[in-house]
Amino acid sequence: MKIADQPLELLVRSLRLRAPLSDSDADAIRALPHNIKLLEAGTYTVREADSTPVCGVLISGFAYRQKTSSDGDRQIVSVLIPGDALDLQNIFLDVSDHSVQMLTRGEVAVLQRADVQALIRDNAAVARAMMVNILTEASILREWVLNVGQRSGKERAAHLLCEFAIRLKAAGLADQYAYELPMTQEQIGDALGLTPVHVNRMLKALQADGLITRTKRVVQFPNWEAMRNVAGFNERYLHLEVQRNGMSL
Amino acid sequence: MKIADQPLELLVRSLRLRAPLSDSDADAIRALPHNIKLLEAGTYTVREADSTPVCGVLISGFAYRQKTSSDGDRQIVSVLIPGDALDLQNIFLDVSDHSVQMLTRGEVAVLQRADVQALIRDNAAVARAMMVNILTEASILREWVLNVGQRSGKERAAHLLCEFAIRLKAAGLADQYAYELPMTQEQIGDALGLTPVHVNRMLKALQADGLITRTKRVVQFPNWEAMRNVAGFNERYLHLEVQRNGMSL
DNA sequence: CGTAGTGTTGAGTAAGATCAACTGGTGTGG
DNA sequence: CCACACCAGTTGATCTTACTCAACACTACG
């Protein structure tokens, strides 16, 4: 059976990166009622201050979470890759505190909140996997606060590129240390708290240092260790091992 | 019965701010085995890269979560007030991605991970309340990324002060719009991504604008609405209503 | 073939960092 | 009780990072 026939397989794989799921647990997830929507770049799936009874899972393409300050400045607070849940939090919170927007055209599997709630209630392993998923997202947010708060422009840009490299590789979506990043420099700036002009200069600087090569939006790392050092990157915060702590249940 | 005799009552109150708990749910939390420790300012309760089988709840005093960059720069990523769980995430994740340190002297109720896990497994309402708690923390982190990434120094400082005002008030720990913030300007800087010198200047600027008054570390807001506007503060992200979404379970 | 979006580069500016000095409170030891 | 050290806060002067404004190049697309 092809992935196209089993869209939620991607969610299963994503959860299994960090939490153990038996075959029957996985089947329970795959069996969740859903329908697939193809969304254009720029489409919102959740809007800040809204309430929604559905929960999307990204199947193809990229998306991001964003918040807007009262001055109208945008901050991108997460970038989502295929297999990520777009709005797990809406299962438990009434009103969304941020928006989710498609970065590229892509497919989203739409689940009903009630179905997900029922599955979490009835299946402890799935509940644990979702918990690990949510906690990992919080961990990434802490790293982003550190990134934006303490690192220089060059370090920030380098760190973002490293994070994608590892996340995409872990998800099986990219070759080792070479991938296409489908973001404009303006969007990268909104993720890093920098202006697009400065992002451009920092990317050029990384290039001049021989740390990355770019052709169109494909990034490569000729010297991963050096890149890692410049970025101050340590993947611990991604929690990329199967977490055993919940296993005593 | 006094609070001193029921330390976990504070946790119950904190959870009840955002999730419904019946009296028996609350009793189940209060009955969790625990012992109280008095910790001095600066004591670590969790260290980055460590694993620990316990989970603390702050009873009195303040604490904060912090991360350190490879250059040695510190970023404070959360400030914790009485009633907050210090390391709920360690219940499901194997290795901590950040440290937790006491900001002031204070008491911590130490719970065993296995006990908390068992309670979450057996009591759906408590599990939901914990989930809401974790999701709210993630929401605050998103707001902090926005704060550090997009706002000016003055706005950042103002926003932090507003956040504490509302959180302390919601927890019943401070008068309306006047409280003691037991942080040095250096610590405030580490939370905002600013140097202590600049924090000092921004606080003075807020004072000069008539937005705050300070005596020692007590802050007051003579004009809350104006302060709120300068900070671009909207408390939506604190999710300070009882969340009904999980109720259909 | 024109237009719009993205990337690139240069020149001037401003927010915040750095360095350094000094204040006032607090605690400690002689 | 005083001398001293230490820490937090404050202020000034200078420097640097990143922002702003502006122009131009390249590509995709109608």
Side-chain angles (χ1 to χ4, degrees):
Chain A
M1 196 178 277
K2 282 181 283 188
I3 282 195
D5 304 323
Q6 283 281 19
L8 295 183
E9 179 60 23
L10 271 169
L11 176 59
V12 170
R13 286 187 199 177
S14 168
L15 293 175
R16 275 185 163 161
L17 287 179
R18 301 188 176 90
L21 290 175
S22 71
D23 288 347
S24 72
D25 298 331
D27 282 339
I29 293 173
R30 294 185 193 106
L32 280 168
H34 62 274
N35 59 326
I36 308 290
K37 278 191 191 171
L38 176 62
L39 303 177
E40 292 303 315
T43 312
Y44 285 88
T45 74
V46 189
R47 272 183 190 275
E48 188 171 346
D50 268 12
S51 232
T52 163
V54 299
C55 166
V57 174
L58 194 58
I59 303 303
S60 64
F62 291 78
Y64 53 87
R65 302 184 193 282
Q66 65 176 344
K67 297 193 64 135
T68 308
S69 76
S70 54
D71 305 349
D73 295 322
R74 171 177 71 166
Q75 175 71 41
I76 292 177
V77 294
S78 313
V79 180
L80 302 159
I81 69 177
D84 283 345
L86 297 181
D87 28 35
L88 255 190
Q89 60 152 23
N90 291 336
I91 293 174
F92 291 97
L93 298 184
D94 294 345
V95 177
S96 182
D97 50 78
H98 66 277
S99 302
V100 180
Q101 199 174 9
M102 292 302 293
L103 179 54
T104 64
R105 176 210 293 254
E107 293 159 298
V108 172
V110 180
L111 313 177
Q112 295 304 309
R113 179 165 65 208
D115 294 329
V116 181
Q117 283 174 339
L119 178 57
I120 288 177
R121 180 193 52 202
D122 297 338
N123 187 314
V126 172
R128 189 185 335 131
M130 299 274 189
M131 195 72 105
V132 169
N133 186 298
I134 288 167
L135 290 169
T136 301
E137 233 192 278
S139 174
I140 295 175
L141 285 167
R142 279 187 287 268
E143 186 71 27
W144 279 43
V145 174
L146 172 64
N147 203 35
V148 174
Q150 302 295 338
R151 288 198 256 259
S152 71
K154 199 160 147 186
E155 292 167 338
R156 282 185 224 184
H159 194 277
L160 189 74
L161 295 179
C162 287
E163 177 176 314
F164 285 138
I166 298 297
R167 284 177 62 198
L168 290 171
K169 185 189 156 214
L173 295 167
D175 276 356
Q176 179 128 8
Y177 315 137
Y179 60 89
E180 187 187 349
L181 179 63
M183 292 174 81
T184 65
Q185 293 179 359
E186 182 168 19
Q187 290 164 335
I188 295 173
D190 286 344
L192 299 177
L194 299 173
T195 57
V197 173
H198 203 61
V199 169
N200 183 278
R201 291 182 170 133
M202 295 304 101
L203 292 177
K204 295 233 121 186
L206 290 172
Q207 208 167 3
D209 294 347
L211 295 170
I212 61 171
T213 64
R214 293 182 302 148
T215 42
K216 298 264 182 187
R217 287 176 182 166
V218 176
V219 189
Q220 280 183 286
F221 305 96
N223 187 345
W224 174 257
E225 275 308 313
M227 182 68 178
R228 205 182 141 85
N229 284 336
V230 166
F233 184 79
N234 181 320
E235 65 205 75
R236 184 188 305 123
Y237 74 97
L238 294 172
H239 295 288
L240 279 171
E241 289 92 34
V242 175
Q243 307 289 313
R244 300 286 162 187
N245 258 0
M247 294 300 287
S248 59
L249 293 183
Chain B
M1 197 178 279
K2 281 181 284 188
I3 282 194
D5 305 322
Q6 283 281 17
L8 295 182
E9 178 62 24
L10 270 169
L11 176 60
V12 170
R13 285 188 199 176
S14 167
L15 293 175
R16 275 185 163 162
L17 287 179
R18 301 188 175 91
L21 291 176
S22 70
D23 288 347
S24 71
D25 298 331
D27 282 339
I29 293 173
R30 293 186 194 107
L32 279 168
H34 62 274
N35 59 325
I36 307 291
K37 279 192 191 169
L38 176 63
L39 302 176
E40 293 303 315
T43 312
Y44 285 88
T45 74
V46 189
R47 273 183 189 275
E48 187 169 348
D50 269 11
S51 232
T52 164
V54 299
C55 166
V57 174
L58 195 58
I59 303 304
S60 65
F62 291 79
Y64 53 86
R65 301 184 194 281
Q66 64 175 343
K67 297 192 65 134
T68 308
S69 76
S70 53
D71 304 350
D73 295 323
R74 173 177 70 168
Q75 175 72 41
I76 292 176
V77 295
S78 311
V79 179
L80 302 160
I81 68 175
D84 283 346
L86 297 182
D87 28 34
L88 255 190
Q89 59 153 22
N90 291 335
I91 292 175
F92 292 98
L93 299 184
D94 294 346
V95 177
S96 183
D97 51 80
H98 66 277
S99 303
V100 180
Q101 200 174 9
M102 292 301 293
L103 178 55
T104 63
R105 174 210 293 256
E107 293 159 299
V108 173
V110 180
L111 313 176
Q112 295 304 309
R113 178 165 66 209
D115 295 329
V116 181
Q117 284 174 339
L119 179 58
I120 288 177
R121 179 194 52 202
D122 297 337
N123 187 316
V126 172
R128 189 188 331 132
M130 298 275 189
M131 195 71 108
V132 168
N133 186 298
I134 288 168
L135 290 168
T136 301
E137 233 194 277
S139 174
I140 294 176
L141 285 168
R142 281 187 286 270
E143 185 71 26
W144 279 42
V145 175
L146 172 64
N147 202 37
V148 174
Q150 302 295 337
R151 289 197 255 257
S152 71
K154 199 159 149 186
E155 292 167 339
R156 283 185 222 183
H159 195 277
L160 188 74
L161 295 179
C162 286
E163 179 177 311
F164 286 137
I166 298 298
R167 284 177 63 198
L168 290 172
K169 186 188 154 215
L173 295 167
D175 276 357
Q176 178 128 10
Y177 314 138
Y179 60 89
E180 186 188 349
L181 179 63
M183 293 173 80
T184 64
Q185 293 179 1
E186 181 168 19
Q187 290 164 336
I188 294 172
D190 285 344
L192 299 177
L194 299 173
T195 56
V197 173
H198 203 61
V199 168
N200 182 279
R201 290 182 170 133
M202 295 305 101
L203 291 178
K204 295 233 121 186
L206 290 172
Q207 207 168 4
D209 294 347
L211 295 170
I212 60 172
T213 64
R214 292 182 302 149
T215 40
K216 298 263 182 185
R217 288 175 182 167
V218 175
V219 189
Q220 279 184 285
F221 304 97
N223 187 344
W224 174 256
E225 275 308 312
M227 182 69 179
R228 207 182 138 85
N229 284 337
V230 166
F233 183 80
N234 180 320
E235 64 204 74
R236 184 187 305 122
Y237 75 97
L238 293 173
H239 295 287
L240 279 170
E241 288 93 34
V242 176
Q243 307 290 313
R244 299 285 162 189
N245 259 0
M247 294 301 286
S248 59
L249 293 184

